[in-house]
Amino acid sequence: FSAPSRGDAAQVTVTETVAVPALSQTPLPNALSESTFDPARISDAIDTFRHYNQAEGCSISSLELHGPFEPLCRDRNSLLTAMTEGGRIGFDAPFSPRGCDMRWFSNAEICEILTRFDKVFIVGDSMMRNVAVALHVILRADLINGGRTNWAEHPDHVDCSCSGPFDTSKCSFFSVVSTRVVWNQDPASVSCSREGRGGIECSSSNSGLRKVSLTPSTDNAMLEYPILDEDMDDFTQHLAPERPAKPYAFIMGHGLWNDLEVDMTKAWIDQLIAGIEGKAAYLKGDGAYFPKLFMGPNAAGIRKPEIFLARQGNIAITKFEHEVGPYARRQGFDFIGTYNATIQSNNPDGT
């Protein structure tokens, strides 16, 4: 998605003096330093989570996730390539894109970016559900409760705070995947203004759009190929019959639920796009601007069950990324791979 221009970023008001922290004992070449610090990159060089709701045992610094350096990537294509090919120097070290850096946006900038879209649709498997949950943690500026439905507690009193929505299966139905639902249930928790608001809707494993009531179901909507007609209808009903004033954006991910069968993922992409464009013809043709991003699956974690390693292990994921990426681009998607970013990181089971 397009980032604010350098001119836009320069309009952010700096209200505090920032000392750029040392990112490690052996900083990256061209790492941001006080002598070269660009005020337009203030949110890159400080812990943007420092004002979030957090507690001991449920806290993290944004600088633990990304170490800023120069230069910035020049455009979207170079950014996506750098993020796909980047990685970590050491286990759970900060992520660094390859060759050029990305922006780490402040909450105010994220809110402004969302206002450029009528909705952001996130479609796919459990990784895509986690993407939607993570975005709501940021939108609500809350590391403790940002990812959970704090207005609907688990009936078995399972703790779904902090990392619960990401690593506790019983919390899947009590994780936040729809900005629309948050505005209705807990509007004061959203750090963005309601005026001109954009929003996120997710249709994925255990969090389909029709499940906003959080009624448990064994249905895996939008995951497997072929997609059932009723699941496609449940998704496309959220598309306006007429072209909206602002574009939609689509973030999609697929693979593990079909055991990384490349042909099935290609067919899933084709069926999904056909269903979307069949319901909303304004999404195609001359003058249509509705950006689409496909995310490749992340690396298998160290606790990935051995029974899945032959067909969902890291070799299979690497081959999948190299085959699906070019196909997605030919279908009009931007593509970002997550394998390199996650192979040196801690995750429960690779999903």
Side-chain angles (χ1 to χ4, degrees):
F1 298 172
S2 299
S5 68
R6 197 168 187 79
D8 292 336
Q11 295 174 15
V12 176
T13 302
V14 179
T15 59
E16 58 184 308
T17 301
V18 178
V20 180
L23 302 176
S24 68
Q25 295 300 314
T26 55
L28 291 169
N30 303 319
L32 290 180
S33 66
E34 293 187 49
S35 61
T36 61
F37 178 58
D38 181 351
R41 296 191 66 188
I42 182 172
S43 61
D44 300 2
I46 61 176
D47 174 19
T48 57
F49 297 159
R50 68 200 185 285
H51 296 315
Y52 280 30
N53 182 33
Q54 53 187 295
E56 185 176 356
C58 187
S59 63
I60 192 171
S61 165
S62 63
L63 295 172
E64 295 179 65
L65 304 179
H66 168 245
F69 65 95
E70 293 286 2
L72 283 174
C73 296
R74 298 185 307 275
D75 51 38
R76 185 170 69 240
N77 289 334
S78 62
L79 173 65
L80 292 169
T81 299
M83 293 183 71
T84 298
E85 297 180 356
R88 305 169 189 270
I89 305 175
F91 193 80
D92 268 350
F95 170 74
S96 294
R98 182 183 180 185
C100 60
D101 199 16
M102 65 187 205
R103 283 292 323 280
W104 187 281
F105 294 113
S106 67
N107 273 52
E109 289 173 310
I110 292 170
C111 292
E112 192 278 328
I113 291 170
L114 278 178
T115 64
R116 303 177 188 182
F117 302 97
D118 187 271
K119 287 187 183 71
V120 177
F121 290 101
I122 300 178
V123 186
D125 54 21
S126 55
M127 187 182 86
M128 304 313 297
R129 179 185 67 83
N130 285 345
V131 169
V133 174
L135 287 171
H136 283 98
V137 169
I138 293 173
L139 290 179
R140 301 175 80 190
D142 190 338
L143 298 180
I144 300 175
N145 298 312
R148 75 183 183 101
T149 57
N150 49 300
W151 55 87
E153 299 290 346
H154 196 287
D156 296 329
H157 305 291
V158 176
D159 184 8
C160 292
S161 63
C162 198
S163 63
F166 301 100
D167 57 24
T168 303
S169 59
K170 289 185 177 181
C171 293
S172 295
F173 295 107
F174 298 87
S175 56
V176 175
V177 295
S178 168
T179 313
R180 171 173 49 85
V181 174
V182 180
W183 279 119
N184 290 336
Q185 298 290 341
D186 190 13
S189 71
V190 184
S191 63
C192 301
S193 168
R194 294 192 77 140
E195 183 178 356
R197 70 186 191 224
I200 296 163
E201 295 284 359
C202 177
S203 179
S204 67
S205 173
N206 298 334
S207 60
L209 288 171
R210 60 183 172 168
K211 302 185 183 66
V212 293
S213 62
L214 303 176
T215 301
S217 168
T218 57
D219 179 23
N220 293 315
M222 310 300 289
L223 286 175
E224 297 178 296
Y225 175 79
I227 303 169
L228 299 178
D229 289 343
E230 62 185 84
D231 291 331
M232 183 68 76
D233 291 341
D234 283 340
F235 171 63
T236 57
Q237 69 173 320
H238 293 270
L239 301 172
E242 302 293 335
R243 183 184 180 119
K246 293 184 287 188
Y248 295 136
F250 298 90
I251 306 175
M252 303 178 185
H254 186 262
L256 291 176
W257 277 84
N258 285 113
D259 286 335
L260 301 173
E261 291 285 343
V262 171
D263 289 341
M264 282 191 178
T265 293
K266 290 178 179 179
W268 181 86
I269 292 172
D270 293 343
Q271 183 185 2
L272 188 55
I273 294 304
I276 291 172
E277 293 181 346
K279 177 64 180 288
Y282 54 79
L283 291 171
K284 61 181 179 179
D286 294 340
Y289 174 66
F290 295 93
K292 304 184 293 291
L293 175 69
F294 191 93
M295 297 184 68
N298 58 333
I302 58 175
R303 295 203 297 271
K304 185 85 168 179
E306 290 190 12
I307 191 173
F308 295 119
L309 287 179
R311 59 185 189 272
Q312 294 185 8
N314 289 329
I315 293 176
I317 291 172
T318 304
K319 290 181 177 179
F320 179 89
E321 184 174 294
H322 281 276
E323 290 192 54
V324 171
Y327 182 80
R329 295 185 187 98
R330 289 196 297 272
Q331 301 307 108
F333 285 79
D334 288 317
F335 177 82
I336 186 168
T338 65
Y339 174 82
N340 284 330
T342 55
I343 186 63
Q344 281 278 75
S345 65
N346 181 32
N347 62 63
D349 65 356
T351 60

